Amino acid sequence: MAPRGWRRAPLRRGVAGGPRAHRLMRPLWLLLAVGVFDWAGASDGGGGAARAMDEEIVSEKQAEESHRQDSANLLIFILLLTLTILTIWLFKHRRARFLHETGLAMIYGLLVGLVLRYGIHVPSDVNNVTLSCEVQSSPTTLLVNVSGKFYEYTLKGEISSHELNNVQDNEMLRKVTFDPEVFFNILLPPIIFYAGYSLKRRHFFRNLGSILAYAFLGTAISCFVIGSIMYGCVTLMKVTGQLAGDFYFTDCLLFGAIVSATDPVTVLAIFHELQVDVELYALLFGESVLNDAVAIVLSSSIVAYQPAGDNSHTFDVTAMFKSIGIFLGIFSGSFAMGAATGVVTSYVTKFTKLREFQLLETGLFFLMSWSTFLLAEAWGFTGVVAVLFCGITQAHYTYNNLSTESQHRTKQLFELLNFLAENFIFSYMGLTLFTFQNHVFNPTFVVGAFVAIFLGRAANIYPLSLLLNLGRRSKIGSNFQHMMMFAGLRGAMAFALAIRDTATYARQMMFSTTLLIVFFTVWVFGGGTTAMLSCLHIRVGVDSDQEHLGVPENERRTTKAESAWLFRMWYNFDHNYLKPLLTHSGPPLTTTLPACCGPIARCLTSPQAYENQEQLKDDDSDLILNDGDISLTYGDSTVNTESATSSKMPWIGSLHLETMNWSFEEHAWFFQWMIPNPR
């Protein structure tokens, strides 16, 4: 209506020419009005297009700047690893053992974090505008309406009030702080898988009973001892007014589970280099491998503790047994999933000709192994447990199906990934001490934590060793116990569990304290390993393959009989049925399965099992079954397994002829081939 009134205004003031002139002038006024409005609209459209173009240019510049900063951040970690490798070479060249490579990585990370926190200041950007608006919650995604355009903003984290003027510096520090899921999905799987894949099964199975006791029962004892002590410490902090937030008993138990995860990578590296007594190495390595898996499942069970009622932190018997059931369910399910993935991989490598294409074979092995972790996490299980037992299964079965080149490739590939991931994590630990923006350091809590982990480790090692020695002929000596107590370092797993959730005041205090515990144990205990070995008079320079040289035969048989009785039945089943079923090694299934299963046995037995007279050596045979303890008897003929040379038929030790209805006349050639000619 306004334009119409505006067009009529001149006519009221009078125009010469009368009605005819009035009718002629009306179209001219209309054309003029339309032209003015078109010009105004074009001007506004041109301005909007210009603003949109300016915004697009600014957005592109910001994206390019963000890309450069991300590249610089990754370059920092690459340079850290490069510097660590060069320093490791220098230390090995000088034969210096007072500081391990993980300790070096942490020192370099500390120095870089110190520079990033206090030495670099990012100038403020005029495009960054801080607007204040009050909302009752903190949504992860926020949609903002700016002049009719909607922009999406994501939540990055809480910023304290005194850091509002340092948004740019906070953004830079946040850039070098990784998402915790990066550790669990990318960095942890190769570390855990390599621990299982490189496991020396000979010594592991020999001490399996003791290892299981330390890993399961010992970790649970350590968790509850640490949790109880820390609850007393937290109560003291409440009384003295040092606690600024909620800290419940379940939080204390969770902290106990986190710091019960031992990672003696420094000690084990020195053990390997010095060739320390294999029994001590097996006990410590086996405990650390299973201990990580137990600690992460235990922490998940504590988090899942939900008693009935409004108060979720009271003691409830039903909730406790539910948590125990969750622990058993998660652990058994993860174990089954890891073993199943290993079995599937062994079947694929056995019944296909992938060994003719080594690159494809190695690629499939790598992807199947890594997918185990993600598959378990996606199904609600624990990927650490799954990938650990997948590695053990792959080493026991799938490894025998791989070509020689792929065997070397997979060993070297996962060894390299383990080395890089482990040093990356330790470098990041040092960096996080300065770049993490929500640290909560409390002297009382820190001192209490150090006392608690010392007492928790002692409650794990000494009482269990006393009980285990009641049933062991080969005792765990006091010097071994002291060394295991000393070697209870904390490392990558404790750090990964602590950093996974830092949303609350209690979790932030636990994370900050865990960092200090890792630093202290790696530097002090790791650096003092060589001196402690000398002080405890633990023998070094022991070749694991020659460890029984000089030991009397009767003593060696007695020792091996102790380690064999629990697994004799399992080993016979595994060697006669599972190994031939999943690999090309072992006796053909046609000779071990009943006659009624002949068609199935022929279908599942690979041609290589018939063709290979030189069967693949089983690393467990000389440990679980005793040389000379099993004899093969038919009629008046008795053949001792010790006389059957393993170079001809290493699987003969578990071959019971009387259970397979073999005819001596039909298989006389068997004994002629097996028994050496006395001439």
Side-chain angles (χ1 to χ4, degrees):
M1 298 300 295
R4 184 177 299 176
W6 174 75
R7 286 197 301 269
R8 289 174 180 172
L11 298 177
R12 291 193 186 104
R13 291 194 295 266
V15 177
R20 180 178 175 82
H22 178 75
R23 289 193 297 268
L24 291 174
M25 289 298 294
R26 182 175 293 178
L28 295 177
W29 283 110
L30 290 174
L31 290 174
L32 179 62
V34 171
V36 170
F37 283 116
D38 287 346
W39 175 82
S43 299
D44 290 342
R51 285 195 299 271
M53 186 176 297
D54 292 339
E55 290 178 359
E56 185 176 352
I57 293 174
V58 171
S59 178
E60 290 179 355
K61 288 183 177 180
Q62 290 177 346
E64 184 179 355
E65 185 65 26
S66 177
H67 172 71
R68 289 180 179 178
Q69 186 175 351
D70 292 341
S71 301
N73 294 335
L74 290 176
L75 180 62
I76 289 174
F77 289 102
I78 297 297
L79 293 178
L80 276 175
L81 291 177
T82 304
L83 188 59
T84 302
I85 290 174
L86 293 176
T87 313
I88 291 170
W89 168 81
L90 181 62
F91 274 46
K92 289 184 178 294
H93 182 67
R94 299 292 182 181
R95 297 184 182 276
R97 298 190 180 96
F98 62 88
L99 188 62
H100 189 249
E101 59 199 50
T102 53
L104 283 170
M106 292 169 65
I107 291 176
Y108 289 142
L110 278 172
L111 295 177
V112 173
L114 183 65
V115 172
L116 290 177
R117 184 61 182 263
Y118 301 107
I120 298 179
H121 174 70
V122 180
S124 60
D125 190 352
V126 295
N127 293 320
N128 287 335
V129 179
T130 303
L131 299 177
S132 177
C133 60
E134 295 184 1
V135 292
Q136 299 299 322
S137 61
S138 55
T140 56
T141 302
L142 191 65
L143 294 179
V144 179
N145 186 350
V146 181
S147 302
K149 292 184 178 181
F150 288 90
Y151 297 89
E152 180 181 0
Y153 292 83
T154 57
L155 179 67
K156 290 187 176 179
E158 182 182 359
I159 298 177
S160 58
S161 57
H162 63 275
E163 292 182 344
L164 289 177
N165 296 326
N166 300 321
V167 176
Q168 291 296 105
D169 290 340
N170 295 336
E171 180 66 20
M172 180 196 66
L173 296 178
R174 195 179 293 112
K175 284 278 189 179
V176 296
T177 304
F178 286 93
D179 188 337
E181 295 304 314
V182 172
F183 289 95
F184 267 82
N185 295 331
I186 297 178
L187 296 177
L188 273 185
I191 296 176
I192 302 301
F193 180 85
Y194 181 72
Y197 195 53
S198 63
L199 184 70
K200 294 185 177 181
R201 299 186 304 280
R202 297 173 50 186
H203 310 291
F204 180 83
F205 284 119
R206 178 183 298 171
N207 297 279
L208 187 57
S210 302
I211 290 171
L212 291 177
Y214 287 127
F216 283 87
L217 188 58
T219 303
I221 292 173
S222 175
C223 171
F224 283 98
V225 169
I226 294 174
S228 302
I229 295 175
M230 294 312 299
Y231 186 67
C233 183
V234 168
T235 304
L236 177 63
M237 292 167 62
K238 282 183 180 179
V239 173
T240 57
Q242 301 181 38
L243 208 59
D246 294 330
F247 212 118
Y248 302 101
F249 181 64
T250 51
D251 295 322
C252 296
L253 284 180
L254 178 62
F255 180 71
I258 289 173
V259 297
S260 293
T262 60
D263 186 17
V265 57
T266 303
V267 177
L268 292 174
I270 296 176
F271 278 14
H272 181 74
E273 185 177 352
L274 296 178
Q275 292 184 318
V276 175
D277 190 291
V278 290
E279 295 294 328
L280 175 61
Y281 185 92
L283 287 172
L284 196 58
F285 180 77
E287 183 214 359
S288 67
V289 166
L290 294 179
N291 166 272
D292 289 346
V294 174
I296 190 172
V297 179
L298 192 60
S299 63
S300 301
S301 303
I302 294 172
V303 171
Y305 176 79
Q306 290 293 337
D310 297 333
N311 191 352
S312 60
H313 299 283
T314 57
F315 177 76
D316 186 82
V317 177
T318 305
M320 183 189 70
F321 281 107
K322 182 179 179 181
S323 294
I324 295 175
I326 290 174
F327 173 86
L328 297 176
I330 291 178
F331 195 93
S332 58
S334 304
F335 165 78
M337 188 166 291
T341 308
V343 168
V344 170
T345 311
S346 65
Y347 264 122
V348 172
T349 54
K350 176 181 178 180
F351 292 106
T352 62
K353 295 185 178 181
L354 273 174
R355 59 185 297 121
E356 298 177 0
F357 306 94
Q358 290 80 18
L359 185 61
L360 301 180
E361 186 181 33
T362 305
L364 177 69
F365 183 91
F366 175 81
L367 294 176
M368 290 291 290
S369 302
W370 201 306
S371 64
T372 305
F373 183 93
L374 302 176
L375 183 64
E377 291 288 334
W379 277 77
F381 296 108
T382 301
V384 170
V385 180
V387 79
L388 171 64
F389 287 100
C390 176
I392 296 175
T393 307
Q394 301 277 47
H396 193 60
Y397 298 113
T398 311
Y399 184 81
N400 293 330
N401 298 335
L402 301 178
S403 61
T404 304
E405 184 177 351
S406 294
Q407 289 177 348
H408 294 314
R409 278 184 177 179
T410 54
K411 286 281 188 182
Q412 294 171 356
L413 173 63
F414 281 102
E415 184 179 8
L416 174 63
L417 292 176
N418 170 74
F419 172 79
L420 293 178
E422 205 160 54
N423 282 278
F424 182 91
I425 289 178
F426 279 95
S427 298
Y428 184 71
M429 285 184 199
L431 195 72
T432 308
L433 187 63
F434 291 102
T435 59
F436 185 71
Q437 302 177 57
N438 296 315
H439 278 303
V440 178
F441 293 105
N442 187 291
T444 305
F445 191 86
V446 171
V447 173
F450 275 97
V451 174
I453 63 170
F454 179 81
L455 296 178
R457 183 67 178 172
N460 175 358
I461 298 300
Y462 295 118
L464 288 181
S465 299
L466 178 64
L467 293 176
L468 290 171
N469 282 337
L470 297 177
R472 285 177 61 107
R473 183 70 62 87
S474 176
K475 307 297 182 183
I476 303 174
S478 59
N479 57 344
F480 279 18
Q481 297 177 36
H482 297 330
M483 193 66 223
M484 293 180 68
M485 171 74 190
F486 182 82
L489 282 69
R490 273 65 178 177
M493 180 57 68
F495 174 77
L497 287 174
I499 200 176
R500 198 171 194 182
D501 184 3
T502 56
T504 63
Y505 171 81
R507 301 294 177 86
Q508 292 167 4
M509 185 182 294
M510 286 190 284
F511 172 67
S512 303
T513 307
T514 302
L515 266 184
L516 296 182
I517 291 173
V518 173
F519 291 156
F520 181 83
T521 55
V522 169
W523 287 337
V524 177
F525 292 164
T529 300
T530 305
M532 184 59 68
L533 288 172
S534 177
C535 180
L536 295 176
H537 304 290
I538 296 176
R539 58 177 186 155
V540 297
V542 180
D543 188 353
S544 59
D545 295 328
Q546 304 294 329
E547 59 176 326
H548 289 308
L549 291 181
V551 179
E553 182 66 22
N554 57 349
E555 181 179 345
R556 183 173 64 180
R557 290 182 181 179
T558 303
T559 303
K560 295 178 73 176
E562 289 179 350
S563 62
W565 69 270
L566 184 61
F567 299 96
R568 188 183 302 274
M569 293 180 62
W570 155 252
Y571 177 76
N572 285 333
F573 177 76
D574 173 65
H575 200 68
N576 288 336
Y577 301 104
L578 293 184
K579 272 292 184 71
L581 185 65
L582 301 176
T583 70
H584 302 300
S585 64
L589 287 173
T590 52
T591 62
T592 57
L593 289 177
C596 59
C597 300
I600 299 178
R602 286 190 294 271
C603 179
L604 296 178
T605 302
S606 64
Q608 288 87 339
Y610 299 104
E611 297 172 0
N612 294 338
Q613 294 295 331
E614 295 277 341
Q615 297 290 334
L616 297 176
K617 179 175 174 53
D618 189 350
D619 293 335
D620 307 332
S621 59
D622 59 336
L623 296 154
I624 298 177
L625 290 177
N626 309 314
D627 293 337
D629 280 0
I630 296 179
S631 58
L632 308 178
T633 305
Y634 190 90
D636 297 331
S637 301
T638 301
V639 181
N640 193 292
T641 56
E642 191 174 9
S643 65
T645 58
S646 59
S647 61
K648 288 188 176 182
M649 191 173 289
W651 46 268
I652 194 61
S654 59
L655 201 59
H656 300 276
L657 300 183
E658 62 271 17
T659 64
M660 293 186 295
N661 299 321
W662 277 22
S663 169
F664 182 80
E665 291 78 13
E666 292 176 353
H667 299 282
W669 62 269
F670 173 84
F671 291 96
Q672 293 175 1
W673 173 81
M674 184 183 63
I675 303 174
N677 191 334
R679 291 179 297 178

